[in-house]
Amino acid sequence: MAAAAPGPVELGFAEEAPAWRLRSEQFPSKVGGRPAWLGLAELPGPGALACARCGRPLAFLLQVYAPLPGRDDAFHRSLFLFCCREPPCCAGLRVFRNQLPRKNAFYSYEPPSETEALGTECVCLQLKSGAHLCRVCGCLAPMTCSRCKQAHYCSKEHQTLDWRLGHKQACTQSDKIEHMVPDHNFLFPEFEIVTETEDEILPEVVEMEDYSEVTGSMGGVPEEELDSMAKHESKEDHIFQKFKSKIALEPEQILRYGRGIKPIWISGENIPQEKDIPDCPCGAKRIFEFQVMPQLLNHLKADRLGRSIDWGVLAVFTCAESCSLGSGYTEEFVWKQDVTDTP
């Protein structure tokens, strides 16, 4: 089936939400915390969720619930984005797509309740499929503590981290293990992503005296450099001004969704060409689906001494056919554009 014509742009905003609204059965779009996996079997394994540069486990950044109208096999559909947050790397990015028909092995055929908040607030570390999740990151956990046989991990790194932060003491207390999950300082703060349709009428150019309102955490670029960009008539200036004017009416947006539209770039540098976007393994082209905005960095509290995660734009491209390569998670493609360091 060919890709549908592009629709209106949906803007995403980070908002606080009760924990029950961010669980898998609510089909959330969200930032941070542990992934609310859609398909509860055939999750991506530790190899798929390792940083391609440094080899360490990636952290869950966000997920977007994006079903395709008219597609029975994609009645439920989510995209999951992961990033490396370990200095000095902070560079690796991977994105996965999963989709399910309305009638499936994991969820009710009927929509979830909007008011029901049953269950405890404790961390769920085993899926209905029986798969165990890592105590640190919430990803597939093939490793088990050899002593208690109850704590599960995705990697040696996360087992060591959990041991140091409390499992060493809890390991012999089998009744407390599931209820004693410490804060490992690995997960990003958790928010719901709420969306609204972008206003069609936007100003051509928006004058702002304080660029920090829009670019406050764009990699620590000095304000003088941003001022320099704004004062010179150039292609770079035009692109940056266009970016500013696009987001000016909703400067808090953390995400722009529009399957098949064109992304808005923050810089004239490192804009991908068609040849830079690999085709899907099914043979179809990949098309743009959503982009993560630099404003999200304000919510992540990821700054550390030295290097930290940073980006100008993260653009996610997915299979134009949204193919069903089995029932598991299909890796898609993400392009990272940084803020240009203009002298």
Side-chain angles (χ1 to χ4, degrees), residues 24-54:
S24 295
E25 59 270 20
Q26 295 293 324
F27 309 112
S29 293
K30 75 183 192 81
V31 170
R34 293 172 173 82
W37 297 109
L38 180 61
L40 303 183
E42 299 184 57
L43 272 62
L49 292 176
C51 178
R53 294 197 184 185
C54 71

Side-chain angles (χ1 to χ4, degrees), residues 103-157:
K103 186 176 182 179
N104 60 76
F106 309 122
Y107 305 105
S108 169
Y109 188 83
E110 300 303 323
S113 169
E114 290 289 335
T115 58
E116 197 171 1
L118 300 178
T120 63
E121 295 299 314
C122 68
V123 177
C124 178
L125 293 174
Q126 185 172 14
L127 301 178
K128 293 176 183 177
S129 63
H132 292 282
L133 302 179
C134 177
R135 282 168 57 85
V136 176
C137 65
C139 296
L140 191 65
M143 298 179 61
T144 305
C145 174
S146 59
R147 182 192 287 180
C148 69
K149 305 290 194 298
Q150 294 187 52
H152 303 271
Y153 305 97
C154 69
S155 62
K156 195 69 176 177
E157 290 95 332

Side-chain angles (χ1 to χ4, degrees), residues 2-15:
V9 177
E10 297 290 326
L11 305 181
F13 302 88
E15 292 191 1

Side-chain angles (χ1 to χ4, degrees), residues 30-32 59-63 81-83 188 296 300 311 314:
K30 75 183 192 81
V31 170
F60 170 69
L61 180 60
L62 61 78
Q63 65 190 76
L81 180 59
F82 297 82
C83 70
F188 292 116
L296 177 59
L300 297 183
W311 63 78
L314 300 180

Side-chain angles (χ1 to χ4, degrees), residues 224-296:
E224 305 85 70
E225 294 186 12
L226 294 177
D227 286 337
S228 177
M229 289 174 64
K231 288 175 183 176
H232 290 85
E233 294 295 327
S234 65
K235 178 181 177 183
E236 188 69 30
D237 174 67
H238 174 74
I239 292 173
F240 185 62
Q241 290 291 342
K242 183 178 179 181
F243 181 88
K244 285 201 306 174
S245 67
K246 266 290 188 181
I247 68 175
L249 292 184
E250 299 288 356
E252 298 303 313
Q253 61 186 274
I254 64 166
L255 184 140
R256 296 175 64 86
Y257 181 92
R259 189 164 185 262
I261 68 169
K262 292 183 178 181
I264 59 170
W265 302 107
I266 197 169
S267 166
E269 301 293 325
N270 198 33
I271 294 177
Q273 304 301 309
E274 185 176 350
K275 62 181 175 60
D276 297 319
I277 310 300
D279 291 348
C280 178
C282 77
K285 295 288 186 184
R286 283 193 171 101
I287 59 173
F288 173 77
E289 185 151 352
F290 73 89
Q291 70 186 85
V292 183
M293 307 294 280
Q295 287 82 349
L296 177 59

